[in-house]
Amino acid sequence: MTAPTTAGAAAPGTPGTTAAAVQVSGVGRVFPGEGGRAVTALEHVDLTVGAGEFVSLIGPSGCGKSTLLRLIADLDSPTSGSIAVFGRPAREARLGHDYGIAFQQAGLLPWRTVRANIELPLSLHGVGRGARRERADEMLALVGLADFADHFPDQLSGGMQQRVAIARALAERPSLLLMDEPFGALDEMTRERLQSELVRICAETRAAVVFVTHSIPEAVFLSDRVVVMSARPGRIAGIVDVGLGRSGDRGDGLREDAAYFAAVTAVREALHGGAESVPSRGVETR
Amino acid sequence: MTTGVAEAGDAAVVAPSAAALAPAARRSRRLPAALRALRPVALGLAALVLLAALWELVKAVVPEDGWSIGELRVLPRTTDLAMPHVSEMLARLGEPLTSQPGADPLWLAVLRAGGTSLRIAAVSWVIGVVVGFALALLMTRFRVARSAVLPLVVLSQTVPLIALAPLVKGWGAKLELGFTWEPWMSVAVIASYLAFFPVAVGALRGLTSPDTLHRELFAGYAASWTQELVRLRLPASVPHLLPALRLAATSAVLGVVVAEVSTGMPGGIGRMILEFANFASSDPAKPWAPIFGAVLLGLVASGAVALLGTALRRFRRAEVAA
Ligand SMILES: Nc1ncnc2c1ncn2[C@@H]1O[C@H](COP(=O)(O)OP(=O)(O)O)[C@@H](O)[C@H]1O
Ligand SMILES: [Mg+2]
């Protein structure tokens, strides 16, 4: 076999091509409820997440943030509309191990050491022992847990466990990272530290991120764009372009920046339905 | 990289440093583990002493004729015939089995019979574990199987063992297996009927114990069912499985004793209990010996499974909240 000579004509859907990381088109999700009282969790949702872009989903609880994330991850199927991940259907993307995922609960396996937990996706996908170990070492260094490789999850604090979960999600070098309130159960200080680490990690790995949160400062600090959702039925109420510069340049100083406060205000106004009154920069209303 | 600060900060939550944490944690885990293994033994011995004391207390306090309310006797007779002294029963163990010259001491005969029964119980435990686990796997894999098989499994335990004995014995004799069907095989099969039940129920609960979070994690990895079974469901089932295996062990012993009696198989402890019951009036301490033997069997069996539990310790780490 001769290698194809047309350079750049990579297979459609290969991460890194022009295809958006996530393309959500006209998606709705209706849960059939008790006695015919169906719950419309999502309605007419359109969203595009570019490759390498960090997008937060924010909104009141019950507005369908987790549902949307689970649809992108193909852990659930939409009742209408379609979802593409790197140009291919969500199901294919899941079977192709295109994304890494982390939840509010770290969800580590208690009988596996930190290292073995990070290696889990690799060993499930047939990566050899040596390569696995090497990758786990890299990940351990990345999240600053090199000294805890042989500890068990019950010997770690909540913040450390969550970092292991993030390392596990990143272990396969996914081009897309899906996170559902990963810092939701942590105290404020741990939370801010992990946010800074996540910004750094994303700059290093250049992964696109869909990040669910209900904290406005967190969304603004982390994101290129913040998607504001409203409840009953779950819809996108507005998208705030944060535009605080590429992820890599963000330090903790940013938290005191005027532009940061402006974006926080913009998100807050969008959340409370007053999207019209927001200083218009970067806010598009739907 | 800027990990240094974060790491030191987080480590401080647990211990001054990882190096200091590791040996301390290991030591505090290992020492009590040894003590923890000894504690049940010590408690068991204490319970035995207490039981003996209670026995003697009843003998001393309750009148010879028992205690009756009207016609109804609410406490048993306490004569030396009905309730021999603990010391007598122990002493009897050291005396010969019969008055014939050269007879083995009673304890040796009991141990020998116990060994026979224990071997059969081990076989029936293995059968019970294999069958019970296979059923649990089936019920875990297919939801339909769960609703169809589980009621049958529960119903199976309402059939008395004694009713099964002649059936199994008859089938065994008729089967053309290429080897002769020995009486002990009937006993093993009958006892396994009792042993498989806790395993089926415990393994089912264990295999279905992983929560949505972990199952979705594996779904996200596009893991096959076998991978999910081996990497998630089996390890998660261990804490539920261990008590089930222990229960199965004592059930197997109980089953063997009952099955020996109902099939009339000689050589085991069940048959010995039956035979020695005839000496209740002439040699009142003697019938108690095989009963002690049966209790010992149960202890040995469940102790062996408890050892298995210490080998699987890592799978019993408490699930931690993130
Ligand atoms: N599996 C389900 N079955 C029925 N209703 C569901 C299910 N999952 C979510 N819902 C409903 O969908 C809505 C959105 O839920 P969710 O996406 O979890 O909200 P959020 O993550 O934004 O708090 C809620 O009203 C919730 O009750
Ligand atoms: Mg949620």
Side-chain angles (χ1 to χ4, degrees):
Chain A
M1 289 292 274
T2 50
T5 45
T6 40
T14 305
T17 56
T18 48
V22 180
Q23 178 80 54
V24 177
S25 324
V27 159
R29 178 67 170 103
V30 180
F31 290 105
E34 310 268 304
R37 292 189 2 177
V39 177
T40 307
L42 288 175
E43 199 175 71
H44 305 308
V45 173
D46 293 293
L47 176 67
T48 304
V49 178
E53 191 184 16
F54 198 122
V55 171
S56 286
L57 306 179
I58 195 169
S61 91
C63 70
K65 306 180 292 290
S66 299
T67 303
L68 182 53
L69 197 83
R70 288 164 42 80
L71 290 176
I72 296 170
D74 189 44
L75 297 173
D76 189 13
S77 311
T79 35
S80 60
S82 66
I83 295 178
V85 175
F86 294 114
R88 48 186 187 170
R91 183 179 150 74
E92 274 179 41
R94 177 173 66 85
L95 296 179
H97 318 137
D98 276 3
Y99 65 78
I101 194 162
F103 303 97
Q104 177 167 6
Q105 307 273 302
L108 305 178
L109 300 181
W111 54 85
R112 283 179 163 249
T113 61
V114 165
R115 174 190 295 287
N117 264 291
I118 295 174
E119 286 182 5
L120 176 69
L122 300 168
S123 67
L124 281 174
H125 298 148
V127 177
R129 186 181 256 269
R132 232 159 51 204
R133 204 181 159 81
E134 198 174 305
R135 184 69 185 148
D137 282 335
E138 260 173 64
M139 289 290 97
L140 283 164
L142 188 68
V143 297
L145 287 176
D147 290 338
F148 294 86
D150 298 318
H151 283 58
F152 284 90
D154 59 347
Q155 296 170 309
L156 303 185
S157 70
M160 294 160 98
Q161 288 181 31
Q162 202 52 259
R163 281 197 265 163
V164 177
I166 292 171
R168 179 179 62 185
L170 288 167
E172 294 192 282
R173 298 175 218 275
S175 311
L176 174 62
L177 195 55
L178 305 175
M179 306 179 102
D180 192 349
E181 303 192 26
F183 309 145
L186 304 178
D187 62 89
E188 193 62 26
M189 279 157 59
T190 313
R191 200 176 166 126
E192 287 200 353
R193 198 167 60 230
L194 288 194
Q195 286 167 7
S196 302
E197 276 190 49
L198 185 61
V199 163
R200 172 182 58 79
I201 288 169
C202 288
E204 281 179 37
T205 60
R206 299 179 180 283
V209 184
V210 180
F211 188 95
V212 172
T213 177
H214 53 227
S215 156
I216 299 174
E218 179 168 276
V220 170
F221 179 72
L222 292 172
S223 313
D224 298 317
R225 282 191 297 154
V226 178
V227 175
V228 179
M229 296 179 67
S230 64
R232 271 171 288 277
R235 292 182 196 214
I236 293 183
I239 297 183
V240 177
D241 234 319
V242 178
L244 289 174
R246 294 304 303 168
S247 308
D249 325 329
R250 303 183 175 200
D252 271 329
L254 186 74
R255 293 186 204 273
E256 278 127 44
D257 197 286
Y260 169 79
F261 284 117
V264 166
T265 310
V267 172
R268 181 169 295 130
E269 305 259 325
L271 260 178
H272 297 309
E276 278 79 13
S277 67
V278 167
S280 68
R281 185 183 71 90
V283 181
E284 38 173 313
T285 319
R286 309 208 168 186
Chain B
M1 275 201 260
T2 58
T3 55
V5 177
E7 181 190 316
D10 240 6
V13 178
V14 183
S17 78
L21 172 71
R26 212 170 298 139
R27 211 181 314 122
S28 69
R29 239 181 308 127
R30 209 164 270 173
L31 243 181
L35 286 179
R36 240 180 288 136
L38 280 178
R39 217 175 62 160
V41 179
L43 282 179
L45 284 178
L48 277 184
V49 171
L50 203 71
L51 194 66
L54 195 68
W55 180 272
E56 291 299 330
L57 187 74
V58 168
K59 262 186 85 69
V61 173
V62 179
E64 291 254 302
D65 220 16
W67 218 339
S68 302
I69 301 176
E71 291 294 290
L72 194 70
R73 183 177 288 137
V74 292
L75 282 177
R77 288 176 198 277
T78 58
T79 55
D80 286 350
L81 263 185
M83 290 178 70
H85 280 290
V86 173
S87 57
E88 263 172 59
M89 293 189 281
L90 290 180
R92 183 64 188 87
L93 282 174
E95 291 162 17
L97 183 59
T98 60
S99 51
Q100 278 165 1
D104 287 329
L106 183 57
W107 65 268
L108 188 62
V110 168
L111 279 192
R112 205 172 281 143
T116 304
S117 294
L118 191 62
R119 271 194 296 271
I120 304 175
V123 172
S124 63
W125 183 79
V126 170
I127 299 174
V129 169
V130 169
V131 171
F133 206 84
L135 283 175
L137 273 183
L138 188 75
M139 289 188 280
T140 309
R141 183 71 181 89
F142 304 103
R143 217 163 261 278
V144 198
R146 194 178 314 174
S147 40
V149 177
L150 194 56
L152 285 183
V153 168
V154 174
L155 208 63
S156 74
Q157 297 303 299
T158 62
V159 178
L161 224 50
I162 301 186
L164 276 181
L167 284 177
V168 173
K169 220 177 149 183
W171 291 334
K174 282 189 205 106
L175 286 177
E176 297 284 342
L177 292 169
F179 59 86
T180 45
W181 185 261
E182 311 263 356
W184 72 264
M185 295 175 183
S186 298
V187 172
V189 169
I190 295 166
S192 67
Y193 189 81
L194 215 56
F196 94 96
F197 178 71
V199 179
V201 174
L204 176 62
R205 183 177 298 167
L207 290 172
T208 53
S209 69
D211 48 21
T212 320
L213 177 68
H214 285 124
R215 287 205 316 275
E216 290 198 335
L217 193 69
F218 275 70
Y221 296 143
S224 68
W225 193 78
T226 324
Q227 284 179 321
E228 189 179 317
L229 177 70
V230 174
R231 305 297 177 93
L232 178 64
R233 291 184 185 272
L234 279 181
S237 76
V238 169
H240 299 267
L241 200 54
L242 284 174
L245 291 180
R246 208 155 164 178
L247 204 56
T250 47
S251 292
V253 168
L254 181 71
V256 164
V257 170
V258 173
E260 280 175 6
V261 171
S262 47
T263 62
M265 191 201 96
I269 204 103
R271 181 62 176 265
M272 191 179 249
I273 291 176
L274 198 65
E275 278 171 9
F276 285 12
N278 299 328
F279 296 90
S281 49
S282 59
D283 190 356
K286 192 172 175 182
W288 292 95
I291 292 176
F292 293 150
V295 171
L296 186 68
L297 281 192
L299 289 179
V300 168
S302 74
V305 178
L307 279 183
L308 193 70
T310 56
L312 295 173
R313 221 174 28 239
R314 94 160 30 210
F315 297 102
R316 301 164 70 188
R317 284 180 168 274
E319 180 94 32
V320 280

